[in-house]
Amino acid sequence: MFLQLDNCTVGYKTPLLNEVTAELELGEICLLIGNNGVGKTTLIKSILNQTPLLGGDILLDKRSVRSFSKRELAEKVAVVFSKSRVPSNFTLSDLIAFGKYIHYPYYFELTKEDQAEVNQIIDSLQLAQYRNFPLQRLSDGNLQKAFIGRALAQNSPMIILDEPTTHLDEENKIIILKLLRNLAREHRKLILFSSHDWRLAKEFADKMWLVHAGHMDSGITEEILLKHDELLNPQLFHMSSGFVPPQIIAPALQKEMLYSYLQKNFKADLSQFHFTFSGSIWTVSHSNSQEKCSSFSDISAFLRKQL
């Protein structure tokens, strides 16, 4: 195994995570997921030996991370944090090319092969039109893609990304996720990335590390999701006092959207109403009444007649 966590205690003066044991191999993609403040970023920093463990050990390529120099660790692991310092007077091309300098003294010129690889990375991230843009002129999303490009240019066997899709729209999320998936499969890279979105795990990740209640549950993505039903069926909250939800039979997304609409617009007991979604139509039942509704406006009009 390329990465091994051996009974680790993660934290600062007091533990955030206890008895963390897990392993990942080259070619695998792992999603690290958990709420804010549970220790995800601290765990990443422990893997990078930036935050010392309180107990246990972390092995990288069968060697304790404590024994690596900073340069040696950079040769093994490329990192993208969600908040990175933006270098002054750098263009996008400069930033991505900077990933190559872990292999050379800073005063060396990159080879033609290195330059070609940097250009290929820029193209694969669909950033060619911004190649010579100063970093300060880039949008948050394109800047995030540029930092991911720098990590790719390092050519390290492992890439760690902390909330890599935070500033990206859906189209650019897909570009990044497909690129990372290809790196894992075709180039045997180990990808560890953190996110709040479990949907990414189901569609994208081979393994999953779920951080909760001071511990980490690790394993095959689908098995972790089956063990933790709360991820697939999150508790829907309501903000309106007096609102009692109805019974809703619908796919998760449609159910969540209807629930959201109703709790914002009705301070009432709707427990006797039944909603069923089929095709693009909602069937709303109450006592002896039934209505077919094609929109939330139709639903609202029917409810107001019944209440």
Side-chain angles (χ1 to χ4, degrees):
M1 287 294 166
F2 189 79
L3 176 65
Q4 295 174 277
L5 279 60
D6 184 11
N7 198 31
C8 298
T9 302
V10 176
Y12 297 95
K13 293 182 179 180
T14 57
L16 286 170
L17 296 172
N18 294 284
E19 300 176 348
V20 176
T21 297
E23 56 186 28
L24 295 172
E25 185 58 281
L26 295 175
E28 292 184 325
I29 300 177
C30 180
L31 173 68
L32 173 61
I33 191 169
N35 294 329
N36 286 333
V38 296
K40 300 192 304 297
T41 299
T42 307
L43 175 59
I44 288 174
K45 289 184 176 180
S46 295
I47 293 172
L48 298 171
N49 199 34
Q50 295 177 1
T51 300
L53 291 171
L54 300 179
D57 201 5
I58 295 174
L59 303 180
L60 198 61
D61 202 12
K62 300 180 180 180
R63 177 180 163 191
S64 174
V65 295
R66 297 168 179 164
S67 68
F68 282 84
S69 68
K70 290 182 178 180
R71 173 175 285 275
E72 287 175 327
L73 198 57
E75 290 172 352
K76 294 289 186 183
V77 185
V79 187
V80 180
F81 284 109
S82 57
K83 294 180 180 179
S84 300
R85 187 177 65 84
V86 180
S88 300
N89 303 318
F90 268 40
T91 65
L92 179 142
S93 184
D94 293 334
L95 178 65
I96 293 176
F98 198 64
K100 287 294 179 190
Y101 282 96
I102 66 162
H103 306 290
Y104 306 109
Y106 72 92
Y107 49 83
F108 269 44
E109 289 189 8
L110 298 186
T111 65
K112 290 182 179 179
E113 290 78 11
D114 291 330
Q115 291 286 4
E117 186 177 347
V118 168
N119 288 330
Q120 188 275 327
I121 290 171
I122 291 172
D123 291 339
S124 69
L125 292 169
Q126 298 187 14
L127 292 172
Q129 62 182 310
Y130 307 108
R131 188 185 310 273
N132 297 313
F133 272 45
L135 296 179
Q136 286 74 13
R137 288 182 56 194
L138 296 177
S139 67
D140 287 344
N142 284 330
L143 185 61
Q144 182 72 349
K145 288 166 69 178
F147 277 108
I148 292 171
R150 183 184 66 177
L152 300 180
Q154 281 186 223
N155 272 338
S156 303
M158 181 175 178
I159 303 174
I160 296 178
L161 306 104
D162 188 17
E163 300 283 353
T165 59
T166 298
H167 302 295
L168 302 181
D169 58 27
E170 290 303 312
E171 181 181 357
N172 280 310
K173 280 184 184 180
I174 293 171
I175 290 171
I176 294 300
L177 295 178
K178 283 184 175 180
L179 179 61
L180 294 176
R181 186 87 190 163
N182 180 66
L183 284 169
R185 287 290 178 267
E186 303 298 327
H187 300 279
R188 294 282 295 167
K189 303 285 188 182
L190 170 55
I191 311 291
L192 174 64
F193 73 106
S194 67
S195 176
H196 290 88
D197 189 353
W198 64 265
R199 294 174 184 85
L200 293 179
K202 186 171 73 69
E203 301 300 331
F204 174 69
D206 306 300
K207 298 287 182 65
M208 188 171 179
W209 289 358
L210 173 61
V211 178
H212 63 113
H215 295 278
M216 189 179 83
D217 200 358
S218 63
I220 293 172
T221 294
E222 288 75 12
E223 291 178 346
I224 297 298
L225 290 173
L226 287 172
K227 285 171 62 178
H228 294 274
D229 184 66
E230 70 276 9
L231 292 174
L232 297 172
N233 298 288
Q235 181 180 2
L236 297 174
F237 67 92
H238 62 266
M239 300 175 64
S240 302
S241 59
F243 174 72
V244 180
Q247 297 183 43
I248 304 174
I249 300 174
L253 180 60
Q254 283 76 14
K255 180 178 180 179
E256 186 173 345
M257 294 303 105
L258 177 62
Y259 190 105
S260 172
Y261 177 79
L262 294 176
Q263 64 93 14
K264 286 187 292 187
N265 290 280
F266 292 91
K267 296 182 179 180
D269 183 346
L270 302 182
S271 59
Q272 300 306 307
F273 288 85
H274 296 258
F275 292 79
T276 303
F277 184 80
S278 179
S280 60
I281 301 298
W282 288 96
T283 301
V284 188
S285 303
H286 178 251
S287 299
N288 295 321
S289 301
Q290 189 176 85
E291 186 82 4
K292 301 287 187 180
C293 301
S294 59
S295 69
F296 286 175
S297 296
D298 293 344
I299 290 173
S300 181
F302 176 71
L303 290 178
R304 295 189 191 284
K305 290 178 183 178
Q306 302 297 316
L307 292 172

